[in-house]
Amino acid sequence: MSGGSDPAVSRETESEKAGAKSGTATESMGGSGFNSYSSISPDDTPIGAAAHRASQVLHPGSVTLPKPAKRRMLTIANQKGGVGKTTTAVNLAAALALQGLTVLVVDLDPQGNASTALGVEHHSGVPSSYEMLIGEVTAREAIQKSPHSDRLFCIPATIDLAGAEIELVSMVAREGRLKTALADLADIDADFILIDCPPSLGLLTVNAMVAATEVLIPIQCEYYALEGVGQLLRNIELVQSHLNPALHVSTVILTMYDGRTKLADQVAEEVRKHFGDAVLRAVIPRSVKVSEAPGYGMTVLDYDPGSRGAMSYLDAGRELAARSAVAVTDGTQER
Ligand code: ATP
Ligand code: MG
């Protein structure tokens, strides 16, 4: 690994500290995982506090999330680029794995960013989601274990996937190829499958929506946050009515929240008004640690487990898992 300082003890940025101080940010998070702050003495140094939180993460003790009654498959979609789809896919997966669940991330973006962050091989020629979609390899043959966790797996994406949107057009059952391929994994022990989509509503994203039951939409707390969401929802409805009746938006997550700006609050409020209970109470702060982690082939939970970014993804994972009971009662989930 390259890089200088020990990531576990390096300091948070001014922005993160400001976010941490913001009453609104803490409020938005519903106090869920940030309760862990309550045991920190106000006299603690920031480094001491981070180390304390890191030790809680690395030795969570009794923190083991309940397994969902049936496997849950979520497609992480938003055709808007750079809103935090990949960051959410890998960090949520790591958060669930750290808390006892087994998670598979399917990288369906030719950029391969999720594969990078999970530290798995994804150069051209490695069995990947591309070969799986065109039927050259099985899902089992394409799976790799992340070096950071025994419970975290990835079907990587290579640059070969870049041509898939076009190649798929002429293929038989082109919208259902991912679903068919993943059926190969019916008997493996995975509690969650998270599919990281590219920033488009093309055939790759449609394949993800046909395979999954749930859609998770990351929304960046920035200008034009809801721009394009209407189009995304219409596409989800189309898939629902023609290809996958079980599909529904189960989860919305607010990303890159900057506690110093009024705008972030306004966006959060608007999104909550729009999506109601689907929005997780845990909000992901804008954090340098989160953006640095993939550069080391890591999730933020490995890179800086005590950071606010790591804690917020742990909270989000807990909330998501707690919703399992609700999500499976519709009887549409398949193992
Ligand atoms: P694309 O549409 O290109 O696939 P995306 O929706 O997957 O993008 P990401 O790649 O996850 O978005 O994030 C976009 C950029 O923002 C990345 O550089 C990432 O490191 C950064 N980023 C994501 N979340 C955060 C955060 N909470 N704090 C700071 N930077 C973040
Ligand atoms: Mg991405």
Side-chain angles (χ1 to χ4, degrees), residues 85-86 109 111 113 196-197 199:
K85 292 182 287 295
T86 302
D109 186 341
Q111 298 175 102
N113 295 338
D196 184 32
C197 290

Side-chain angles (χ1 to χ4, degrees), residues 77-86 109 111 113 197-201 218-220 222-225 227-228 255-256:
N78 188 339
Q79 78 276 23
K80 201 164 175 205
V83 297
K85 292 182 287 295
T86 302
D109 186 341
Q111 298 175 102
N113 295 338
C197 290
S200 84
L201 292 172
I219 295 185
Q220 185 182 355
E222 259 303 341
Y223 285 112
Y224 311 124
E227 191 187 58
T255 64
M256 297 184 237

Side-chain angles (χ1 to χ4, degrees), residues 41-335:
S41 151
D43 298 333
D44 277 353
T45 61
I47 290 176
H52 179 83
R53 295 196 298 272
S55 78
Q56 286 186 320
V57 174
L58 295 171
H59 308 286
S62 61
V63 184
T64 303
L65 297 175
K67 277 176 165 298
K70 288 184 176 175
R71 175 185 301 163
R72 293 175 64 188
M73 202 185 303
L74 290 91
T75 186
I76 301 182
N78 188 339
Q79 78 276 23
K80 201 164 175 205
V83 297
K85 292 182 287 295
T86 302
T87 305
T88 296
V90 299
N91 289 301
L92 210 46
L96 292 166
L98 197 64
Q99 297 178 97
L101 300 181
T102 303
V103 188
L104 167 66
V105 174
V106 180
D107 191 348
L108 221 53
D109 186 341
Q111 298 175 102
N113 295 338
S115 312
T116 303
L118 293 173
V120 299
E121 273 192 62
H122 62 106
H123 55 81
S124 188
V126 168
S128 69
S129 52
Y130 170 71
E131 286 84 359
M132 186 179 78
L133 283 169
I134 62 167
E136 268 182 14
V137 303
T138 63
R140 274 166 202 269
E141 287 166 336
I143 285 190
Q144 293 182 45
K145 187 156 75 63
S146 167
H148 303 300
S149 166
D150 284 344
R151 288 189 292 267
L152 189 50
F153 298 83
C154 179
I155 293 180
T158 65
I159 192 65
D160 298 331
L161 191 61
E165 293 270 6
I166 295 165
E167 275 182 65
L168 284 172
V169 171
S170 59
M171 288 192 169
V172 179
R174 58 191 177 183
E175 298 94 351
R177 298 192 73 89
L178 181 65
K179 183 182 168 104
T180 306
L182 293 181
D184 182 41
L185 304 178
D187 60 351
I188 70 151
D189 176 28
D191 300 305
F192 278 83
I193 297 180
L194 306 181
I195 308 170
D196 184 32
C197 290
S200 84
L201 292 172
L203 262 176
L204 288 172
T205 299
V206 170
N207 262 270
M209 288 181 183
V210 171
T213 311
E214 303 177 51
V215 182
L216 184 157
I217 306 178
I219 295 185
Q220 185 182 355
C221 295
E222 259 303 341
Y223 285 112
Y224 311 124
L226 287 170
E227 191 187 58
V229 169
Q231 195 190 353
L232 173 63
L233 295 178
R234 279 192 293 282
N235 273 50
I236 292 168
E237 274 168 29
L238 276 174
V239 172
Q240 192 185 43
S241 55
H242 296 290
L243 298 162
N244 180 8
L247 189 70
H248 63 284
V249 178
S250 69
T251 315
V252 173
I253 186 164
L254 293 162
T255 64
M256 297 184 237
Y257 179 94
D258 186 343
R260 295 170 304 175
T261 68
K262 266 198 183 137
L263 175 72
D265 279 335
Q266 286 164 1
V267 171
E269 198 182 310
E270 199 179 337
V271 170
R272 288 187 192 284
K273 219 183 281 171
H274 201 279
F275 287 102
D277 289 343
V279 187
L280 294 182
R281 279 174 294 126
V283 173
I284 310 304
R286 183 174 281 285
S287 148
V288 171
K289 299 295 175 187
V290 171
S291 60
E292 282 175 352
Y296 295 86
M298 289 180 177
T299 67
V300 73
L301 285 113
D302 299 306
Y303 178 62
D304 191 348
S307 66
R308 297 183 65 247
M311 300 307 282
S312 64
Y313 272 113
L314 278 172
D315 287 349
R318 274 197 285 274
E319 260 190 79
L320 186 67
R323 289 169 170 210
S324 295
V326 181
V328 295
T329 51
D330 62 13
T332 52
Q333 309 248 329
E334 287 168 24
R335 188 99 199 171

